[in-house]
Amino acid sequence: MTYKAEYIWIDGTEPTALLRSKTKVLADGVEPPVWGFDGSSTNQAVGHSSDRVLRPVFTCPDPIRGGDNVLVLCEVEEIDGAPHVSNTRALLRPIAEQYADQESWFGIEQEYTFFKGSRPLGFPEGGFPAPQGHYYCGVGAEAVFGREIVEVHLDRCIAAGLKISGINAEVMPGQWEFQIGPAGPIEVSDHMWVARYLLYRTAEEFGVEATLDPKPARGDWNGAGAHTNFSTKAMRESYEAIITACEALGEGDKPMEHVTQYGADIELRLTGHHETAPWNKYSYGVSHRGASVRIPWQVEVDKKGYIEDRRPNANVDPYVVTRLLVNTCCAALEKAGQV
């Protein structure tokens, strides 16, 4: 007897990497082995030296094929076993290990937009729908577009064992969100990449494209982000640690270090309008969706909890945003003795 293993990896496309996948048929009882691929076709090698390596790092049930079939998320390596330059997971691993004692938790809110042809799903041909307002968490055919795709995606994420914690319609027609977490930095990122894969595959079956474009419709429409909720053990116990983290994110060159790695075309979304702060100005505040970093009102009341970095784009690499937040905030908390 055999089963199918769908190998999934992140390619070297710039400025925003794409997902790739291919299938390996394996005998029952055989674990998915290291495999190879043609890196010259994925922007990860040149033709005269094109072999690259797929090393399995996370495996889960395949909810599309069902049965004993699995999805296999991989890191990309050189043939000598060194991480490929596009392998951002490898950069996260040592940082996650260095600050593991602080017990970082993440919840990432992945916004995305369905497109049918050249238009967002729900946009009429040759025009625009009614202004945004009633689409957010909307109910009814005049407000919601693509729910049948979203429900299948949710069921598949649950069947795969991913830490998906919710879904909702967003403020523009055809725009949706799902949330992954709470989980540690590596786990939340692995689960997010697999959830993205399942989103693309599910939309594909409906003849629809799912895009992470941060500004899919120009004009008076909200962009698409990946608001990232973050806490450490100290932050979950102390408001002083919350403030330390917020201040650390605004120190020196930290704001630009983060925002320049929070997704391509971030300046199109972070304009200071549509529930965003300007991309080049850092701020934080309680219950403030126009700030770079929001402290939820309940956190201020409870004097403990988490913060929400509202800057990451929908197209952000979760391995990158989790690495940056852990590195910046955990270092500051360690220096302050708040661990």
Side-chain angles (χ1 to χ4, degrees), residues 28-334:
D28 283 352
V30 174
E31 292 295 315
V34 169
W35 202 14
F37 70 99
D38 172 16
S40 68
S41 297
T42 64
N43 304 296
Q44 289 167 305
V46 291
H48 65 268
S49 181
S50 63
D51 288 334
R52 291 296 177 265
V53 175
L54 297 174
R55 182 170 300 278
V57 293
F58 172 67
T59 302
C60 66
D62 184 342
I64 298 175
R65 287 172 166 151
D68 294 328
N69 303 303
V70 296
L71 303 177
V72 184
L73 183 67
C74 302
E75 285 192 23
V76 176
E77 296 179 345
E78 303 284 356
I79 57 174
D80 63 0
H84 188 266
V85 66
S86 64
N87 184 347
T88 53
R89 190 180 190 274
L91 299 177
L92 169 61
R93 281 191 277 111
I95 300 299
E97 291 167 6
Q98 179 180 352
Y99 295 108
D101 289 348
Q102 294 198 38
E103 299 179 20
S104 296
W105 290 357
F106 288 87
I108 302 179
E109 307 169 26
Q110 177 69 73
E111 295 178 342
Y112 60 93
T113 309
F114 288 131
F115 265 68
K116 186 72 172 180
S118 62
R119 304 186 312 281
L121 196 64
F123 274 50
E125 290 189 39
F128 293 89
Q132 61 187 38
H134 68 295
Y135 306 109
Y136 173 71
C137 296
V139 178
E142 81 288 352
V144 175
F145 306 90
R147 191 186 296 277
E148 66 279 12
I149 310 172
V150 171
E151 291 291 343
V152 174
H153 175 248
L154 175 60
D155 288 343
R156 287 176 169 176
C157 286
I158 292 171
L162 304 182
K163 287 191 172 179
I164 190 165
S165 49
I167 59 171
N168 60 269
E170 270 299 335
V171 298
M172 189 179 81
Q175 193 177 65
W176 290 82
E177 173 184 302
F178 66 87
Q179 302 93 36
I180 298 290
I186 292 177
E187 183 179 39
V188 78
S189 301
D190 287 347
H191 286 213
M192 178 59 75
W193 276 113
V194 175
R196 285 176 173 180
Y197 168 82
L198 290 173
L199 175 66
Y200 299 145
R201 283 285 283 104
T202 302
E204 177 186 316
E205 294 172 9
F206 287 83
V208 170
E209 176 192 1
T211 175
L212 305 186
D213 189 322
K215 195 68 175 179
R218 303 297 187 260
D220 193 19
W221 300 98
N222 276 32
H227 302 153
T228 302
N229 300 284
F230 169 74
S231 71
T232 65
K233 185 174 185 292
M235 293 166 68
R236 296 188 291 273
E237 297 173 349
S238 161
Y239 196 69
E240 288 74 19
I242 295 281
I243 298 303
T244 296
C246 289
E247 290 286 336
L249 290 167
E251 287 181 359
D253 61 357
K254 287 297 181 182
M256 293 307 296
E257 178 188 349
H258 281 245
V259 80
T260 55
Q261 298 181 70
Y262 274 3
D265 296 324
I266 200 163
E267 70 280 359
L268 298 180
R269 176 177 147 264
L270 298 186
T271 61
H273 304 287
H274 303 109
E275 300 181 302
T276 69
W279 68 273
N280 57 352
K281 294 181 180 178
Y282 176 79
S283 60
Y284 71 90
V286 176
S287 195
H288 189 358
R289 282 180 163 76
S292 307
V293 173
R294 179 178 70 95
I295 301 173
W297 69 271
Q298 192 65 48
V299 171
E300 185 184 44
V301 171
D302 295 341
K303 299 303 179 186
K304 60 182 179 180
Y306 67 97
I307 60 175
E308 178 194 43
D309 192 336
R310 296 182 57 78
R311 295 170 294 173
N313 267 354
N315 59 2
V316 73
D317 182 342
Y319 296 128
V320 172
V321 67
T322 54
R323 172 174 55 82
L324 290 170
L325 283 169
V326 168
N327 200 35
T328 296
C329 296
C330 290
L333 290 164
E334 184 175 81

